[in-house]
Amino acid sequence: MIARRGVDEDLAPPLIITWIHPLSWYVPPSKCKIYISDAWGCLTTDTTRNYTQDRLFSYDAESTLITMGEIADPVQLKDEGNKHFQAGEIDKAIESYTKAIKSCKDKKVLAVIYRNRSACFLKKENYNSAASDATKAIDVDAADIKALYRRCQALEKLGKLDMAFKDVQRCATLEPKNKTFLETLRRLGAEIQQKLKTSFSTDSRVENMFEILFSEESDKEKLEKAANNLIVLAREDAGAERIFQNNGVPLLVQLIETGKPEMILAAIRTLSGMCTGHRARATAIIHMIGISKLCSIMAVDNEEIALATANLFQCVYDSLSGGDKRNYGKEEALVLDSSKDLKDILLALLEMIASKKVSGHGRDQALNLLTRNVPRKNKKSTDNSKSLFTIDHGLKKILKVCGQVPDLPDQLPLTENTQLIASVLLNLLYDDMRCDPERDNFRDICDEYIKSKFDPNDMDKNIHAINTLSGILQGPFDVGNMLTGRQGVMEMMVALCGSEREVDQLVAVEALIHASTKTSKASFFISNGVSLLKEMYKKTKNEKIKIRALVGLCKLGSAGGDDYSMRQFAEGSTEKLAKQCRKWLCNPTLDVRTRKWAVEGLAYLTNDADVKDDFVEDEAAMRAMFELAKSKDKTILYAVACTLVNCTNSYDKKEMIPEMVQLAKFSKQHVPEQHPKDKKDFISRRVSRLLKAGVTSALAVMVRADNSILTDQTKEMLARVFLALADDIKDRGTIVAQGGGKALIPLALEGTDKGKIKASHALAKIAAVSNPEIAFPGERIYEVVRPLVSLLNSERDGLENFEALLGLTNLAALNDKLRVKILKEKALPEIENYMFEEHEQIRQAATECMCNLVCCKEVQDRYLEDGNDKLKLLVLLCGEDDEQLQRASAGALAMLTAAQKKLAVKLTKVTGQWLEIIQRLCLHDNPEIQHRGLVTVYNMLDADEALSKKLIESELLEILTYVAKLEDNPKKQDAINAARSCLSKAMDSGLIKPFSN
């Protein structure tokens, strides 16, 4: 093996012993010459070594390599790994070394292989593995200087400076004159001193903060500052560790026990920071404090404290379950299996949701935690054990929450959102079932629970059963629908409707409303429930019951959807119902819950185009609805979203094929009819009125709601509304001004696939025509890239492709960080593909985007690669007739040839038309295109002497002279100056001389 300067001997490429013979694959050894090559390009006859003919060789016909039969496989694999390492193929090198490790028996060879693989892991930034492999090499030879230094590098990156210092100190002892070791020793020593200084400083700061927090003499401002400092310190790993090591947890528990809300919040938020991403600390903290203690804190009737404690639980759960992917090395190995702790947390949360000692806010957060952590996030996973465990131990408790009737005595404390969150959880659990037996078990438990509540002698138990059924109907509807059909259920609803108690009627009417959710079931309720609802609506004087009966009628009246020919009620009836809903909606004397039902009614009635038009004409009603959407009661979000989708006609519409319509009419099949007021001009007018009434700010508030309330279906509807609002270019400025750009980002990143596409398209529309720095201020601008890139695929339509490319063009024009982000999202191959697109506007947009991306070194390297037509395409696009396309491609060409001189030379080889195209650019009527062409010529003159001579000998010299002699003109000055620069460059190169006076 030949050692080369600057290359580790153990990583130097192996010698290749090659048999050379001109005629045949097999030649007797006596007729062969042996050449030695080391893969660095050297190939010489080796006269210094004796290779006798009786040596055993094995011949590999594919690679023409011969390796000595006496060499063991691990050595061959090691050499193969060395070659891959030198070629920069790190993954392949790791694979070869790993195979070699498995088969190697020689300890010394094994140590070398581990040392080499350690170098690979360093390159891959896998520092734990790099340190581990280096340690295994050191175990064989404690003086292995390369392994010691590699372990030092890995430990430094892992933040273990003291251990890294010891390794480099040993290296410096072995090679005292090595400058690299001495420099590393000095640097690490300084860093350790600084760390110790900071550590002592942090310890004193922690102590000082706790003193202030416990002092009775500290004023409010001092307390707040100390609490905030403690929280900020806990969010940094070093700070969190100092708090933990300095008896911080017991002190934080003392803060909680003061009972002061601000102290409790500071302590809980500090604990959250300490648990985030650190499994060992999270385990220690929940054992020191206790899960039941944390649950009792979350149970208090304080929304902020309940939310902060839920966040602490989430941080602990993520750290224990591996939801947080950070790695803390040996500390992680000390933690035993976390499954028991996770199970205990789950059981504690299930106990909370049915406990009377828990406040409404605490119950909401317990349900939210179950919603986030129990169902599978990825349906491809086969493990739904958490859902099965929850159903076995907690389904009846969730049903109990659904069945609570706040107007009755001795009920669980609830908020406006609790029962809807419980319904959402039921739906997620049912969806998480993988087979029929699991679903049957779920249905049986629900059935058994409701049956157990029916009691002819206890009306309170009956309405609890019916209210539970309402909760199920709002969650897994199929289960609720099955239970509604059980004998005695409908009869009980009818009996409750006829009851004299207000609460009985309210529960029964709401159950009827939820039971008629699916259009396919509406016919059953039209024949059985309409007369009952009408009678209640006419006879009752109670506004709460009246409005609910009205919503039931609204729901049944909208069963035909937007099909004008499928109206359920007589002409004008739906308009009268809608008018009454708007009246209640605008009545401030009614409570929020009652007014919410008015929005529910409008959500169904606005399927009718007449109702939509009347509603958007009533600005007071729109503003009242938007104010309700901003209120604390988030159960209204779905109804508001439905109403807005209907008003903007942003629901999916079936394409009406004329031939199929005629065929349907001929066969006497029903053909849906479009209402005259559902045409585009009416829709545009409605959108304008909604924007004027402040719909965007209402949507922005709705998007910020908790995920347990803001379901994926609701997110999709909001995305549809945003897309409809952004359709007209004139309205996009209004959307940005009211915070619509920021609100769209989470909708584009989370939700249903269709919803994310709609939100991404709305983002593209805004990014295409707005200043991205204003539309998406701060760091949010970087989050816009991924949604736009998601629109660049063949499954999306041409308009989505086009507007996404325009948006990316605007983003790429801003800064290098955004350009790098676009490349990291793997947008470059897609943009290149669209440059070949037949559609002129898409091709132009892709070329403009590429023009802004060529500033990146990675893009320039792709153009430098051999074997592709990227540069040829760019040159040919410069010869197209479309001025916008020419402008973009000429700009890209000018920037590429300025950045890479090799590309200026390569340009002349890609197509025989290059000179003609360049000349056309230099004579172009558009000053911008002409300027870009002349800049490209200047870059070519600056790149290569032979190329410069060729350009000057062509007609290009006359063109340059003509442009340079033009009188100064502000419109063409850039082009004139560029031509003069080209001539100056040619004179400097001695290619032309000025006329003598």
Side-chain angles (χ1 to χ4, degrees):
M1 197 171 285
I2 300 172
R4 298 191 174 275
R5 190 180 301 165
V7 180
D8 286 352
E9 183 179 339
D10 50 49
L11 288 176
L15 295 174
I16 301 169
I17 304 173
T18 310
W19 293 81
I20 297 179
H21 191 276
L23 297 176
S24 62
W25 284 107
Y26 173 76
V27 185
S30 59
K31 294 186 180 179
C32 294
K33 289 183 181 179
I34 298 174
Y35 285 78
I36 309 298
S37 167
D38 65 357
W40 293 96
C42 307
L43 187 65
T44 54
T45 306
D46 193 332
T47 57
T48 62
R49 305 185 193 185
N50 295 319
Y51 289 95
T52 58
Q53 290 183 21
D54 59 348
R55 289 259 192 173
L56 294 174
F57 291 91
S58 59
Y59 183 77
D60 182 345
E62 287 187 12
S63 61
T64 69
L65 298 184
I66 293 187
T67 56
M68 287 179 284
E70 63 194 23
I71 297 176
D73 281 342
V75 176
Q76 184 182 356
L77 287 165
K78 175 180 78 71
D79 293 345
E80 191 179 289
N82 294 350
K83 282 198 296 178
H84 288 311
F85 184 88
Q86 290 300 329
E89 298 166 342
I90 307 301
D91 289 327
K92 289 182 180 178
I94 291 171
E95 190 180 338
S96 296
Y97 292 140
T98 304
K99 287 178 183 176
I101 287 165
K102 288 176 182 176
S103 59
C104 187
K105 305 295 181 189
D106 187 322
K107 282 189 177 181
K108 288 186 178 180
V109 175
L110 193 60
V112 172
I113 299 169
Y114 273 123
R115 185 175 70 199
N116 290 5
R117 194 171 72 166
S118 176
C120 295
F121 283 132
L122 280 173
K123 289 269 188 186
K124 296 291 287 182
E125 299 182 7
N126 185 346
Y127 301 118
N128 277 314
S129 298
S132 174
D133 275 6
T135 301
K136 287 169 184 172
I138 294 163
D139 289 343
V140 175
D141 180 5
D144 188 333
I145 200 163
K146 291 176 185 174
L148 281 165
Y149 190 65
R150 283 172 193 162
R151 188 169 71 176
C152 162
Q153 290 174 298
L155 291 170
E156 182 187 355
K157 291 292 185 181
L158 290 169
K160 298 176 182 179
L161 300 183
D162 50 344
M163 295 167 71
F165 184 82
K166 287 177 184 175
D167 281 345
V168 76
Q169 197 173 40
R170 176 76 175 139
C171 291
T173 305
L174 293 168
E175 282 190 18
K177 293 182 180 180
N178 188 305
K179 289 182 181 179
T180 303
F181 297 158
L182 294 172
E183 172 59 26
T184 307
L185 192 66
R186 184 198 61 75
R187 180 170 52 77
L188 285 177
E191 284 181 20
I192 288 168
Q193 289 300 317
Q194 182 61 39
K195 188 177 178 182
L196 287 170
K197 187 178 176 182
T198 305
S199 179
F200 290 132
S201 168
T202 303
D203 289 348
S204 62
R205 279 171 62 205
V206 169
E207 190 178 333
N208 185 41
M209 284 177 226
F210 277 117
E211 281 178 9
I212 294 169
L213 290 168
F214 283 116
S215 173
E216 293 181 4
E217 297 174 5
S218 300
D219 58 38
K220 188 179 178 183
E221 190 178 339
K222 253 189 172 183
L223 284 170
E224 283 181 4
K225 191 174 180 182
N228 288 332
N229 286 344
L230 201 61
I231 294 164
V232 170
L233 194 62
R235 287 173 183 162
E236 300 170 5
D237 186 58
E241 192 60 30
R242 298 321 305 162
I243 296 170
F244 186 78
Q245 295 294 344
N246 284 289
N247 202 37
V249 177
L251 291 171
L252 290 168
V253 172
Q254 285 181 43
L255 272 183
I256 292 168
E257 287 171 353
T258 62
K260 296 176 183 176
E262 62 275 13
M263 295 295 103
I264 296 171
L265 279 171
I268 293 296
R269 286 169 180 165
T270 303
L271 288 167
S272 296
M274 292 168 69
C275 290
T276 301
H278 203 292
R279 192 175 172 202
R281 274 202 301 268
T283 305
I285 286 169
I286 61 165
H287 287 171
M288 290 167 79
I289 299 175
I291 294 169
S292 58
K293 174 72 175 174
L294 290 176
C295 288
S296 67
I297 298 166
M298 194 163 78
V300 300
D301 192 14
N302 182 305
E303 188 175 1
E304 271 195 287
I305 292 174
L307 186 60
T309 314
N311 185 52
L312 171 56
F313 265 121
Q314 189 62 55
C315 293
V316 169
Y317 199 92
D318 285 345
S319 297
L320 297 185
S321 65
D324 192 305
K325 301 295 182 187
R326 279 174 275 189
N327 195 324
Y328 287 88
K330 287 184 180 178
E331 293 157 346
E332 296 295 289
L334 298 174
V335 180
L336 298 175
D337 183 20
S338 301
S339 57
K340 185 181 183 303
D341 290 330
L342 292 169
K343 184 180 175 182
D344 290 345
I345 291 171
L346 199 54
L347 283 169
L349 293 174
L350 290 171
E351 284 300 315
M352 278 189 75
I353 61 176
S355 170
K356 287 186 179 179
K357 295 178 182 177
V358 178
S359 69
H361 297 301
R363 203 177 319 280
D364 283 2
Q365 295 308 326
L367 288 164
N368 281 336
L369 285 166
L370 291 168
T371 301
R372 286 191 210 113
N373 299 297
V374 171
R376 289 170 294 166
K377 289 180 175 63
N378 181 5
K379 295 298 181 187
K380 291 180 181 177
S381 167
T382 57
D383 182 15
N384 66 341
S385 55
K386 284 187 288 185
S387 290
L388 296 173
F389 180 85
T390 303
I391 287 166
D392 288 342
H393 293 83
L395 181 54
K396 289 183 179 179
K397 292 169 183 173
I398 302 168
L399 293 171
K400 182 179 179 180
V401 173
C402 290
Q404 297 300 294
V405 183
D407 297 331
L408 292 179
D410 199 33
Q411 299 294 295
L412 298 176
L414 306 174
T415 68
E416 302 92 336
N417 303 320
T418 307
Q419 288 174 305
L420 182 59
I421 299 171
S423 294
V424 170
L425 177 55
L426 286 174
N427 192 48
L428 290 170
L429 289 172
Y430 187 68
D431 280 350
D432 208 37
M433 299 297 95
R434 294 179 54 238
C435 58
D436 288 342
E438 291 176 359
R439 282 183 280 273
D440 290 342
N441 179 52
F442 186 100
R443 284 192 288 262
D444 290 344
I445 294 172
C446 293
D447 194 12
E448 182 190 331
Y449 182 85
I450 289 175
K451 276 181 185 175
S452 71
K453 296 299 173 186
F454 279 130
D455 187 344
N457 302 316
D458 188 341
M459 194 56 79
D460 286 358
K461 288 184 77 174
N462 289 333
I463 63 172
H464 179 82
I466 297 300
N467 214 34
T468 304
L469 183 58
S470 282
I472 298 171
L473 286 163
Q474 290 176 83
F477 182 84
D478 291 341
V479 177
N481 191 48
M482 180 271 291
L483 296 172
T484 306
R486 290 278 191 252
Q487 187 177 0
V489 174
M490 272 304 296
E491 289 81 357
M492 181 56 71
M493 286 187 193
V494 172
L496 289 172
C497 286
S499 170
E500 292 181 3
R501 281 202 313 177
E502 177 188 302
V503 65
D504 295 347
Q505 294 180 45
L506 285 173
V507 169
V509 173
E510 287 184 18
L512 281 171
I513 292 167
H514 295 312
S516 59
T517 294
K518 295 285 177 78
T519 306
S520 59
K521 306 295 174 188
S523 56
F524 170 78
F525 284 99
I526 285 171
S527 58
N528 292 275
V530 170
S531 57
L532 185 63
L533 290 169
K534 280 184 178 178
E535 190 177 347
M536 290 180 72
Y537 178 69
K538 288 174 184 175
K539 288 184 178 180
T540 186
K541 293 180 182 178
N542 187 315
E543 291 284 299
K544 293 180 180 179
I545 296 168
K546 202 176 188 74
I547 197 168
R548 285 164 173 78
L550 176 72
V551 171
L553 292 169
C554 294
K555 214 168 188 181
L556 298 171
S558 64
D562 67 343
D563 185 351
Y564 185 50
S565 64
M566 287 280 285
R567 292 185 165 199
Q568 298 289 333
F569 295 154
E571 187 77 29
S573 296
T574 49
E575 287 92 322
K576 287 178 185 176
L577 292 172
K579 188 176 180 182
Q580 186 60 52
C581 284
R582 296 203 310 274
K583 183 181 172 184
W584 275 320
L585 179 59
C586 297
N587 187 350
T589 60
L590 293 173
D591 62 278
V592 171
R593 197 174 173 192
T594 303
R595 291 166 68 204
K596 179 191 82 172
W597 283 102
V599 181
E600 288 272 358
L602 288 170
Y604 293 101
L605 291 174
T606 45
N607 275 310
D608 188 303
D610 289 319
V611 173
K612 298 177 201 181
D613 253 33
D614 291 343
F615 178 65
V616 296
E617 293 291 334
D618 189 344
E619 191 167 327
M622 285 194 289
R623 289 187 183 278
M625 185 176 79
F626 298 155
E627 287 305 312
L628 278 178
K630 297 174 186 177
S631 70
K632 283 188 176 182
D633 185 355
K634 298 303 179 186
T635 57
I636 198 172
L637 296 184
Y638 187 80
V640 174
C642 281
T643 305
L644 292 173
V645 165
N646 290 338
C647 288
T648 56
N649 282 52
S650 49
Y651 42 76
D652 286 330
K653 305 171 194 72
K654 288 183 181 178
E655 188 181 352
M656 302 291 284
I657 303 167
E659 292 81 1
M660 295 303 292
V661 171
Q662 291 299 322
L663 185 61
K665 285 180 178 177
F666 178 76
S667 58
K668 296 183 180 179
Q669 296 293 316
H670 171 70
V671 179
E673 293 178 22
Q674 186 185 36
H675 195 290
K677 289 185 179 177
D678 273 334
K679 291 181 179 173
K680 191 168 183 180
D681 52 341
F682 283 93
I683 297 169
S684 300
R685 192 160 63 242
R686 289 200 290 268
V687 165
S688 298
R689 289 189 174 277
L690 285 166
L691 285 166
K692 187 180 174 184
V695 66
T696 310
S697 57
L699 289 169
V701 172
M702 291 166 73
V703 167
R704 292 199 291 272
D706 193 280
N707 273 353
S708 55
I709 296 289
L710 191 69
T711 60
D712 287 351
Q713 288 73 24
T714 309
K715 287 178 187 174
E716 182 183 321
M717 287 194 289
L718 296 181
R720 287 174 181 276
V721 175
F722 266 120
L723 184 56
L725 296 176
D727 190 54
D728 191 331
I729 195 169
K730 297 193 295 293
D731 294 329
R732 294 174 198 173
T734 306
I735 294 169
V736 169
Q738 294 180 0
K742 293 177 283 185
L744 270 166
I745 295 171
L747 295 178
L749 297 172
E750 297 174 358
T752 64
D753 289 341
K754 193 173 281 189
K756 288 190 285 189
I757 291 164
K758 300 285 182 188
S760 299
H761 192 190
L763 275 175
K765 284 179 179 291
I766 291 169
V769 297
S770 309
N771 180 345
E773 290 174 308
I774 295 172
F776 318 107
E779 293 298 305
R780 290 189 186 92
I781 196 168
Y782 299 100
E783 295 178 53
V784 177
V785 174
R786 182 172 295 172
L788 297 191
V789 173
S790 71
L791 297 176
L792 300 183
N793 67 61
S794 55
E795 291 180 9
R796 307 276 69 82
D797 64 40
L799 184 61
E800 289 168 340
N801 299 155
F802 174 67
E803 290 180 321
L805 287 165
L806 291 183
L808 288 170
T809 302
N810 281 348
L811 292 173
L814 293 177
N815 57 53
D816 277 332
K817 195 174 174 184
L818 272 167
R819 287 190 278 271
V820 169
K821 175 70 174 170
I822 291 169
L823 297 180
K824 279 187 177 178
E825 293 296 338
K826 300 180 181 175
L828 193 58
E830 299 296 340
I831 294 166
E832 288 171 344
N833 288 340
Y834 285 116
M835 289 173 70
F836 288 92
E837 178 66 46
E838 289 181 11
H839 194 287
E840 289 181 6
Q841 288 177 298
I842 293 177
R843 185 172 56 188
Q844 175 196 315
T847 309
E848 286 174 350
C849 190
M850 184 60 71
C851 180
N852 287 344
L853 288 173
V854 292
C855 305
C856 289
K857 180 75 167 57
E858 186 180 329
V859 179
Q860 294 163 14
D861 290 343
R862 285 175 73 94
Y863 277 88
L864 279 168
E865 288 172 4
D866 292 327
N868 65 61
D869 290 331
K870 292 179 177 62
L871 191 61
K872 180 179 180 180
L873 173 65
L874 211 52
V875 174
L876 293 174
L877 289 176
C878 290
E880 292 286 324
D881 294 330
D882 185 335
E883 281 198 10
Q884 291 295 327
L885 185 60
Q886 274 186 304
R887 180 174 167 273
S889 50
L893 202 59
M895 285 192 282
L896 282 170
T897 51
Q900 299 285 346
K901 290 185 178 182
K902 288 180 182 177
L903 285 172
V905 178
K906 186 179 178 182
L907 184 154
T908 63
K909 299 172 183 176
V910 293
T911 174
Q913 303 171 42
W914 69 271
L915 186 56
E916 181 189 340
I917 290 169
I918 296 293
Q919 288 173 351
R920 282 179 61 191
L921 291 178
C922 294
L923 287 170
H924 207 284
D925 294 334
N926 186 319
E928 284 190 37
I929 296 173
Q930 186 180 31
H931 173 238
R932 294 171 188 217
L934 289 163
V935 168
T936 303
V937 171
Y938 178 86
N939 296 335
M940 294 171 79
L941 289 169
D942 189 44
D944 182 78
E945 189 178 336
L947 176 58
S948 301
K949 190 175 179 183
K950 187 172 183 178
L951 289 172
I952 294 303
E953 287 174 354
S954 71
E955 294 175 358
L956 203 56
L957 179 59
E958 293 177 37
I959 295 170
L960 293 173
T961 307
Y962 166 73
V963 178
K965 285 182 178 181
L966 291 174
E967 291 183 9
D968 288 354
N969 180 338
K971 290 184 179 179
K972 292 194 169 188
Q973 198 58 47
D974 288 339
I976 294 167
N977 290 342
R980 290 170 183 172
S981 297
C982 289
L983 292 175
S984 297
K985 186 70 184 173
M987 280 191 283
D988 292 344
S989 303
L991 297 172
I992 59 173
K993 292 181 180 179
F995 287 113
S996 57
N997 292 328

